[in-house]
């Protein structure tokens, strides 16, 4: 789907399909070396129950308990992406607005459902930070990511809560919040923000993109509307098993540890990238997610040279509000980052020729 030159259906996995499958992947925002062995074992154990229809009650209760909510405020989905489709099809809205740059599926789903979608474009000169006053007062559905993909900006929870008002659904995509140490600025679990809908994904931190599991947290009446738009048995038995395990105390402790490791690895990546300032490279920031957004001249040519050198990175021009000079880089371990920085140095030299 293209709107005003932006391919809303282009995602990072396109960089590592087919001829990109052998590349070192800095294009997809899924934590490396996942899922862990203990999680794979629990998923494998669930396969003995495939003859029965999926029963999501235990997983739903586990997610509710993880956020201190009643089960009526939880809906399990086939990844957070399904939730965007349910919101677009299940809610009656007149003027939806998406805050960009951000993950493009919310807008694509709304357009597919026949909605005319307004955009609020956050500005580079403001470090892509939210100005609540920029959102039209008559918007009855507002979508924002936190931390935002691809900018890696973590908006203050108070600033996002300012967007709430009677008659408005406020959708906050927290797919990467568990990669933030302490989940600072999270709104998941809040019941004091009117119209709040929080989306969470379990595919990023746990490496379950191929399994598809996520969930929605919202008022019971909103959950009921979304559930009516959902097909029967939308979440598979293995995905339900994964959901239960990923919100267990053991998993939460491991995710918290991983978030601190990601923060350290991101700092290492950003420090290395800043060495290329003389080449015109700028890091958008401060970055708080498991990825960073960079701007550099001739980014398309640099990206092509990086592919030739064995590295896949995410083009940024498919995000509304960004252009061809932007690239998104997933945070990886220091050994991978060091190899990437050497390749980037070579790619920039080749581009200067």
């Amino acid at each position: 789907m293209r709107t005003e030159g932006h391919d809303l259906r282009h995602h990072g996995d396109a960089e590592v399909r087919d001829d990109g499958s052998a590349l070192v992947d800095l294009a997809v925002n899924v934590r490396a070396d996942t899922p862990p062995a203990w999680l794979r074992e629990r998923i494998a154990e669930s396969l003995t129950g495939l003859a029965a229809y999926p029963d999501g009650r235990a997983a739903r209760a586990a997610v509710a308990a993880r956020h201190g909510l009643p089960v009526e405020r939880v809906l399990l989905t086939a990844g957070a992406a399904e939730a965007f489709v349910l919101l677009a099809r299940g809610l009656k809205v007149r003027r939806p607005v998406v805050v960009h740059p951000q993950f493009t599926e919310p807008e694509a789903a709304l357009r597919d459902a026949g909605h005319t979608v307004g955009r609020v474009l956050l500005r580079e000169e403001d470090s892509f930070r939210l100005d609540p006053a920029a959102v039209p007062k008559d918007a009855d559905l507002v979508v924002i990511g936190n931390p935002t993909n691809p900018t890696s900006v973590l908006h203050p929870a108070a600033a996002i809560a300012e967007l709430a008002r009677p008659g408005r659904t406020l959708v906050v995509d927290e797919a990467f919040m568990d990669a933030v140490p302490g989940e600072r600025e999270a709104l998941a679990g809040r019941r004091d923000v009117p119209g709040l809908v929080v989306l969470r994904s379990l595919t990023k931190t746990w490496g379950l993109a191929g399994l598809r599991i996520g969930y929605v947290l919202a008022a019971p009446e909103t959950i009921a509307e979304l559930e009516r738009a959902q097909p029967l048995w939308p979440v598979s038995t293995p995905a339900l098993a994964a959901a239960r395990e990923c919100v267990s105390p053991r998993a939460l402790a491991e995710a918290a540890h991983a978030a601190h490791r990601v923060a350290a690895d991101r700092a290492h990546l950003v420090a290395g990238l800043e060495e290329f300032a003389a080449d015109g490279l700028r890091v958008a920031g401060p970055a708080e997610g498991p990825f960073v957004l960079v701007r550099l001249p001739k980014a398309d040519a640099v990206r092509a040279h990086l592919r030739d050198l064995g590295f896949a990175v995410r083009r940024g021009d498919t995000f509304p509000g960004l252009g061809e000079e932007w690239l998104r880089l997933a945070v990886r371990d220091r050994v991978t980052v060091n190899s990437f920085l050497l390749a980037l140095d070579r790619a920039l030299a080749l581009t200067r020729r």
Side-chain angles (χ1 to χ4, degrees):
M1 172 186 290
R2 288 187 174 273
T3 62
E4 301 174 12
H6 297 284
D7 182 358
L8 300 182
R9 284 278 157 74
H10 179 91
H11 301 297
D13 62 312
E15 310 283 356
V16 290
R17 290 199 300 257
D18 302 328
D19 65 335
S21 59
L23 301 177
V24 177
D25 179 10
L26 276 75
V28 176
N29 292 327
V30 173
R31 185 163 64 100
D33 302 321
T34 52
W38 60 265
L39 181 53
R40 293 198 303 270
E41 290 168 4
R42 297 297 181 273
I43 294 170
E45 289 168 5
S46 74
L47 300 181
T48 60
L50 291 185
Y53 285 96
D55 183 349
R57 290 176 295 177
R60 188 178 185 184
V63 170
R66 181 255 194 270
H67 292 287
L69 296 171
V71 294
E72 294 81 10
R73 283 181 166 266
V74 175
L75 182 67
L76 303 176
T77 58
E82 188 206 7
F84 292 122
V85 174
L86 298 179
L87 288 163
R89 296 178 179 176
L91 300 185
K92 297 178 177 63
V93 296
R94 295 173 291 97
R95 189 177 182 193
V97 168
V98 178
V99 179
H100 285 291
Q102 78 145 326
F103 184 52
T104 53
E105 275 304 310
E107 179 170 331
L110 285 163
R111 290 182 180 276
D112 284 347
H115 297 287
T116 300
V117 183
R119 291 176 177 173
V120 172
L121 300 180
L122 305 184
R123 304 185 307 167
E124 179 188 3
E125 53 265 40
D126 298 328
S127 299
F128 296 112
R129 293 203 168 275
L130 171 67
D131 175 9
V135 176
K137 293 183 178 180
D138 62 345
D140 58 356
L141 175 71
V142 178
V143 185
I144 185 169
N146 203 36
T148 302
N149 171 22
T151 63
S152 206
V153 168
L154 183 66
H155 303 288
I160 294 178
E162 278 187 49
L163 296 174
R165 61 190 64 219
R168 171 182 288 176
T169 300
L170 173 59
V171 180
V172 185
D173 176 9
E174 292 189 351
F176 296 99
M177 186 61 78
D178 59 354
V180 176
E183 296 197 359
R184 306 185 324 277
E185 312 302 344
L187 288 167
R190 294 272 298 268
R191 295 191 239 184
D192 60 325
V193 181
L196 177 65
V197 177
V198 174
L199 276 54
R200 285 286 181 110
S201 170
L202 296 174
T203 66
K204 315 300 185 185
T205 287
W206 298 110
L208 298 173
L211 194 60
R212 312 307 306 140
I213 178 65
Y215 54 88
V216 181
L217 308 174
E221 57 271 23
T222 301
I223 293 296
E225 286 185 87
L226 299 180
E227 199 166 16
R228 282 192 290 271
Q230 197 174 36
L232 291 173
W233 309 293
V235 181
S236 70
T237 295
L240 292 171
R244 291 196 303 273
E245 293 300 320
C246 290
V247 296
S248 67
R250 172 185 182 172
L252 295 180
E254 183 172 321
H257 176 75
H260 286 283
R261 189 171 68 247
V262 165
D265 289 340
R266 182 182 61 242
H268 179 68
L269 171 61
V270 170
L273 292 170
E274 289 175 344
E275 294 295 319
F276 296 100
D279 295 284
L281 188 150
R282 288 188 61 260
V283 181
E288 299 281 0
F291 45 87
V292 297
L293 181 68
V294 301
R295 183 175 188 171
L296 72 163
K298 301 181 181 179
D300 222 26
V302 172
R303 175 172 155 268
H305 287 309
L306 284 169
R307 290 185 73 85
D308 291 339
L309 295 166
F311 290 86
V313 299
R314 170 66 156 90
R315 56 190 279 203
D317 63 328
T318 63
F319 293 101
L322 300 182
E324 294 181 353
E325 67 275 22
W326 294 95
L327 298 174
R328 190 192 70 195
L329 314 173
V331 173
R332 298 292 185 243
D333 63 273
R334 291 191 175 211
V335 172
T336 302
V337 166
N338 289 342
S339 296
F340 167 73
L341 292 172
L342 290 173
L344 177 59
D345 187 40
R346 177 64 176 153
L348 288 168
L350 290 170
T351 304
R352 287 193 296 269
R353 287 182 177 177

